[in-house]
Amino acid sequence: MASPVTPTPLLKDELDIVIPTIRNLDFLEMWRPFFQQYHLIIVQDGDPSKVIKVPQGFDYELYNRNDINRILGPKASCISFKDSACRCFGYMVSKKKYIFTIDDDCFVAKDPSGNDINALEQHIKNLLSPSTPFFFNTLYDPYREGTDFVRGYPFSLREGVPTAVSHGLWLNIPDYDAPTQLVKPRERNTRFVDAVLTIPKGTLFPMCGMNLAFDRELIGPAMYFGLMGDGQPIGRYDDMWAGWCIKVICDHLGWGVKTGLPYIWHSKASNPFVNLKKEYKGIYWQEELIPFFQAAVLPKECTTVQSCYKELSKQVKAKLGKVDDYFIKLADAMVTWIDAWDELNPSGQLPNGKSRSHSASVPAAAKATNSDSIVE
Amino acid sequence: MASPVTPTPLLKDELDIVIPTIRNLDFLEMWRPFFQQYHLIIVQDGDPSKVIKVPQGFDYELYNRNDINRILGPKASCISFKDSACRCFGYMVSKKKYIFTIDDDCFVAKDPSGNDINALEQHIKNLLSPSTPFFFNTLYDPYREGTDFVRGYPFSLREGVPTAVSHGLWLNIPDYDAPTQLVKPRERNTRFVDAVLTIPKGTLFPMCGMNLAFDRELIGPAMYFGLMGDGQPIGRYDDMWAGWCIKVICDHLGWGVKTGLPYIWHSKASNPFVNLKKEYKGIYWQEELIPFFQAAVLPKECTTVQSCYKELSKQVKAKLGKVDDYFIKLADAMVTWIDAWDELNPSGQLPNGKSRSHSASVPAAAKATNSDSIVE
């Protein structure tokens, strides 16, 4: 939806924007009207000695690999290197209630009327309105202006449930895998679908990390992007992995996941040959992963995201360990991730979505002298 | 989607248009460019002595209550009277592979470019392309031009499954229940959402009969609109009932249900006070019906729609009979419906979607001299 830039943006002090990058962040210029009043967490991937330039006027903290290693110590092993999966470190060090994460090759898209789309504002609307995972509403998001629940929608379900995740889409370059990129090199997404919908309970989806927002207090500890890239047999499945995990956990805990608006403009297709190399194991592994996640059941005793996630890691080890040893390593990394999360977020995750004090913000890594100052 | 009117329409000899009505069918004038080459089955509700005028040039057969009673004999008890649920009689007497049904207060809608929408053509496209009920594709219908499966979509699921039902939407007057109509008398649906999507397996939805198409050979015997209207304690749940039944059966048999495009223009809101009287039992009954259908499991032995539907009728009687005696009567009517279906369609329903001969078409009721000529 087109929206004018608001003078006081929504959730200004309750949301961090997390950007993984290996290059200067010139792309932020186009986002200035929408992002400048928010705080950025930049996770620098690759060579930590490289200097990443951030356009003037943005409020940010930046972490490179040295920072990650210093802050997490041995637990830094759970954070991927040379893969955008490293972005999840930013989720962990944030102290805000909400996270928006975006790739640095994504720009402001236009709606069919030619207006700039304020993607962040739409994500916030998605997160602040309930979800409806238990029954499908044929007019899509029933909470949107001009829409409601249709005839036959049970009244007992019309309050909805808290929304944990808002998954946005992409105009121009669609998020295709390497085989599809190779087969359809010129395909562009030009269709603006003016809808937001809740992905029903029990249904998995391919979550893309390019344009994604979530309630960190609700689902943050499950938003782990796995072990990808350097030293790992796989890449480009970081967001997929996280998406399958968060969906199973949201379904278990009764929270919603939305997809649809907002669109961003995805400018640059990644190299399909490089992607194929990263993906090929994932392409056949996912044939085992999807049935695994479709069948995954969490016990009633798991009432926090952390306990759900640790339980899921056990099931990953037990069932996917047979597929490849990689999943044993990944299951261990899932536990390490939770331990690191709890260490950096000692007050614990509030499972009921109540807001907590945000006064104890993490100092910028650039100013931190040792990890103690980070973990408070 | 805007589409030019094609000189030779798709599936011209394989699709019937079923219209329930109590009035002259002037609304067909607007549909002439899209419907004139198809065969219409008009089910006249209410007083059979009233003469329904059909605009010249349309090829149709018309059934009133006397025809229904004559053709079905005692089994006519399963066909509702004074309720648009009577339309399902038209599904039963058709001999075509596909059905499109539309209400007589629905007109041709325009797409955002101002072009007339050929609703029937879009329904046919929906029905002729596969569905994807097992995993959600974030770019919606992956078979549509300019779109595909996104990264992370399992390749083993990309063939899709046969599409049994195409559920279209409505611009202008949305399909609201009486309470919502009363609370929001001026709400109009102006949002054109340019998408078709498969409703995931395991998810129920409120199916509206206003603008609906289906593969009669696949799912026809389950498309029973129940007992509504005259002599019944409930109305306006005919399509909902059918929607819950067909979804459970499609999920069991591995077929898809799509919703979204095409839009029609719904011109006239029905009277909310009258609707409230028809609906009020349904409004609280549905709180029991939805959990019932969500939990319904059909045994593996049920491999035809008929056997699924009879099994469902048993479960309705056993479990919903406790809610109200009405459901015992409805369960019996479900069995009568199947018996009547099989009588009028003696070659049986082919569960695998193979096409069969359409040469044995039902003669127009107006020409039929007795029920034998109808049941061949």
Side-chain angles (χ1 to χ4, degrees), chain A residues 318-347:
Chain A
K319 295 187 180 160
L320 296 179
K322 295 167 195 163
V323 174
D324 195 278
D325 283 348
Y326 165 71
F327 292 100
I328 295 172
K329 193 165 63 164
L330 178 54
D332 289 336
M334 291 168 77
V335 175
T336 305
W337 160 265
I338 292 292
D339 291 344
W341 183 283
D342 286 343
E343 193 175 310
L344 292 196
N345 297 273
S347 60

Side-chain angles (χ1 to χ4, degrees), chain A residues 26-255:
Chain A
D26 304 324
F27 92 111
L28 285 173
E29 282 301 349
M30 198 183 187
W31 288 105
R32 190 180 288 278
F34 305 114
F35 290 177
Q36 193 162 11
Q37 294 192 64
Y38 291 91
H39 182 68
L40 311 181
I41 297 178
I42 298 161
V43 184
Q44 177 179 350
D45 197 19
D47 180 5
S49 70
K50 184 176 173 182
V51 176
I52 299 286
K53 284 185 197 161
V54 181
Q56 280 212 318
F58 284 93
D59 171 43
Y60 70 95
E61 56 196 297
L62 185 150
Y63 299 89
N64 63 29
R65 191 69 208 183
N66 293 338
D67 300 315
I68 294 170
N69 290 340
R70 189 185 67 244
I71 292 165
L72 293 184
K75 297 194 185 77
S77 62
C78 73
I79 304 297
S80 298
F81 187 48
K82 294 193 179 169
D83 191 288
S84 71
C86 68
R87 77 174 83 207
C88 64
F89 178 77
Y91 313 156
M92 188 184 264
V93 293
S94 167
K95 292 293 172 197
K96 304 285 176 63
K97 183 166 163 57
Y98 299 99
I99 296 285
F100 171 49
T101 184
I102 184 169
D103 279 8
D104 63 5
D105 63 346
C106 292
F107 294 89
V108 178
K110 287 189 186 295
D111 69 18
S113 306
N115 300 310
D116 282 353
I117 296 170
N118 185 342
L120 181 48
E121 183 183 58
Q122 179 67 48
H123 275 300
I124 291 169
K125 284 182 184 174
N126 294 349
L127 290 170
L128 294 183
S129 64
S131 287
T132 53
F134 305 119
F135 198 80
F136 189 85
N137 193 50
T138 51
L139 289 183
Y140 310 101
D141 184 351
Y143 305 107
R144 200 169 165 193
E145 207 179 333
T147 308
D148 212 307
F149 293 94
V150 300
R151 181 171 56 93
Y153 203 101
F155 280 83
S156 62
L157 296 177
R158 296 192 186 194
E159 269 192 47
V161 301
T163 302
V165 177
S166 168
H167 177 259
L169 301 175
W170 343 274
L171 290 172
N172 195 39
I173 307 286
D175 185 32
Y176 287 163
D177 47 59
T180 309
Q181 281 183 301
L182 289 165
V183 171
K184 292 181 155 182
R186 300 175 73 92
E187 189 150 293
R188 298 292 179 267
N189 186 25
T190 59
R191 183 172 294 124
F192 182 93
V193 175
D194 189 11
V196 177
L197 56 92
T198 299
I199 300 174
K201 183 178 178 181
T203 300
L204 294 176
F205 77 114
M207 188 179 81
C208 171
M210 233 190 289
N211 172 24
L212 180 71
F214 57 92
D215 184 326
R216 185 181 165 279
E217 281 189 0
L218 278 184
I219 198 66
M223 206 48 101
Y224 174 46
F225 272 41
L227 292 177
M228 303 283 149
D230 197 52
Q232 309 300 339
I234 186 176
R236 283 172 58 84
Y237 273 86
D238 51 339
D239 41 8
M240 298 298 140
W241 182 261
W244 299 327
C245 293
I246 63 97
K247 190 59 170 53
V248 166
I249 293 174
C250 284
D251 283 352
H252 175 73
L253 295 174
W255 300 329

Side-chain angles (χ1 to χ4, degrees), chain A residues 281-300:
Chain A
K281 287 188 189 236
I283 283 172
Y284 60 86
W285 283 345
Q286 77 186 357
E287 300 293 339
E288 310 257 8
L289 300 182
I290 300 305
F292 164 78
F293 282 107
Q294 283 175 333
V297 176
L298 299 172
K300 280 184 188 167

Side-chain angles (χ1 to χ4, degrees), chain B residues 7 65 73 86 100 107 112 121-122 161 173 240 307 309 341 372 376:
Chain B
R65 191 68 209 184
C86 67
F100 171 49
F107 294 88
E121 184 183 57
Q122 179 67 49
V161 301
I173 307 286
M240 297 299 140
S307 61
Y309 201 71
W341 183 283
D372 287 347
E376 298 167 49

Side-chain angles (χ1 to χ4, degrees), chain B residues 169-236:
Chain B
L169 301 175
W170 341 276
L171 290 172
N172 195 38
I173 307 286
D175 186 32
Y176 287 164
D177 47 57
T180 309
Q181 280 183 300
L182 289 165
V183 170
K184 291 180 153 181
R186 299 175 73 93
E187 190 150 291
R188 297 292 178 268
N189 187 24
T190 59
R191 183 173 294 124
F192 182 93
V193 175
D194 189 10
V196 177
L197 57 91
T198 299
I199 300 176
K201 183 179 178 181
T203 300
L204 295 176
F205 77 113
M207 187 180 82
C208 171
M210 233 190 290
N211 171 24
L212 179 72
F214 57 93
D215 184 327
R216 185 181 166 279
E217 281 190 359
L218 277 184
I219 199 67
M223 207 46 103
Y224 175 45
F225 272 43
L227 292 176
M228 304 281 147
D230 197 51
Q232 309 300 340
I234 185 177
R236 281 171 60 83

Side-chain angles (χ1 to χ4, degrees), chain B residues 35-66:
Chain B
F35 291 176
Q36 193 162 12
Q37 295 192 64
Y38 291 90
H39 181 68
L40 312 182
I41 297 178
I42 298 162
V43 184
Q44 177 180 348
D45 198 18
D47 180 5
S49 69
K50 184 174 173 184
V51 176
I52 299 286
K53 284 185 197 159
V54 181
Q56 281 213 317
F58 284 93
D59 170 42
Y60 70 95
E61 55 196 299
L62 185 150
Y63 299 89
N64 63 29
R65 191 68 209 184
N66 294 338

